Amino acid sequence: MLNKKIKIAIVDDEKDCRKDLLKVLSNYFNKHHEESFEYKEYSSGEEFLKDSTISFDVIFLDIEMNKINGMDVAHEIRKNNDFVIIVFVTRLISYAIEGYSVGAFDYVLKPFNEQDFDLKMEKIIKKLETNELDKSILIKTNYKDRIVKIGDIRYVEVIGHNILFHTKTEVISSWGSLNEIISQINSDSFALCNRCYYVNFNYVTGIEGFNLFLGNDVIQISRYRKNEFLSELTKYLGKKGRDR
């Protein structure tokens, strides 16, 4: 489950195909997910490459476009971005297979079959969720800056002006504000259980009263935040269970 709108680019020189793709996308999100999406359409590869104003999560890229084709656009994308999900749109599977040379995640065939499209979108959503925890943040310390995967952080603790990152293997001491850390992590796998602890749901092993267990660590849930924290935890675990 993602905590932000999914940003999607639709790059196709056929207006009707852009319209049809937007329709199956809208139907998918309405039927299957609470996550919403925002999109931007491009009528050519050139138009897309000139627009550097938006960072997309997913790019639906038509292979058979005039002038610069989708494969060439994908090569340009990969020069600067190894992580964005590229999905080729084509009428011929043979063209789509070539897409794996540029790290395309998948392909969809024209005309769109809604059932097949929904299955591919499920794979895309899961990949985005995995990517979210695979991302890293930069942690400043007194000795050297550290790069840590978000998924390896069990919880973040605030003590005065110090920030302690409790990871799977160690505790890293830093400084700053918790709001800055929340903005950096930016994941709905995490939530505040009180004003001093920002917790990764994936490491919660039990709850007893106002005690929250994360393996051998026990931290306190505040009365003020308990209901909201439990609601977010239940929602997260329910969504995670449905995706298995």
Side-chain angles (χ1 to χ4, degrees), residues 80-224:
N80 301 306
N81 191 326
D82 292 328
F83 300 104
V84 66
I85 294 176
I86 296 175
V87 180
F88 278 119
V89 181
T90 182
R91 288 187 171 88
L92 297 175
I93 294 178
S94 58
Y95 287 152
I97 292 172
E98 296 178 32
Y100 295 109
S101 65
V102 290
F105 180 74
D106 209 335
Y107 65 89
V108 292
L109 290 175
K110 301 176 182 180
F112 305 115
N113 177 289
E114 197 157 317
Q115 184 175 2
D116 290 342
F117 184 85
D118 286 2
L119 291 174
K120 291 178 184 291
M121 279 304 303
E122 284 298 300
K123 289 167 56 181
I124 291 169
I125 295 296
K126 288 179 182 179
K127 177 63 176 174
L128 287 171
E129 291 171 344
T130 301
N131 286 352
E132 189 175 72
L133 292 177
D134 278 342
K135 290 179 182 176
S136 299
I137 63 170
L138 184 69
I139 300 175
K140 295 185 178 295
T141 75
N142 289 324
Y143 303 100
K144 63 178 181 179
D145 293 348
R146 300 283 302 278
I147 297 174
V148 178
K149 281 178 59 174
I150 290 173
D152 289 343
I153 300 171
R154 298 166 58 238
Y155 63 98
V156 181
E157 179 181 10
V158 179
I159 301 178
H161 296 291
N162 293 323
I163 305 284
L164 301 181
F165 292 84
H166 296 259
T167 75
K168 292 195 296 186
T169 57
E170 60 183 325
V171 179
I172 302 171
S173 180
S174 183
W175 61 88
S177 73
L178 187 55
N179 285 338
E180 291 173 349
I181 302 304
I182 292 172
S183 177
Q184 273 188 284
I185 292 176
N186 188 29
S187 169
D188 71 346
S189 300
F190 286 73
L192 289 166
C193 67
N194 67 42
R195 64 182 182 178
C196 298
Y197 293 107
Y198 190 51
V199 175
N200 187 338
F201 291 140
N202 292 291
Y203 293 97
V204 173
T205 55
I207 298 172
E208 184 178 314
F210 291 95
N211 293 322
L212 180 67
F213 295 85
L214 298 101
N216 293 325
D217 293 353
V218 184
I219 61 180
Q220 294 294 303
I221 308 174
S222 72
R223 290 182 180 274
Y224 172 73

Side-chain angles (χ1 to χ4, degrees), residues 33-63:
H33 280 277
E34 296 175 359
E35 295 95 344
S36 57
F37 76 101
E38 57 187 47
Y39 71 96
K40 188 168 183 180
E41 296 183 35
Y42 298 89
S43 60
S44 69
E46 294 89 338
E47 182 186 4
F48 173 79
L49 292 175
K50 287 178 182 177
D51 186 3
S52 59
T53 60
I54 302 176
S55 177
F56 293 102
D57 299 303
V58 185
I59 301 170
F60 285 94
L61 184 57
D62 182 31
I63 293 182

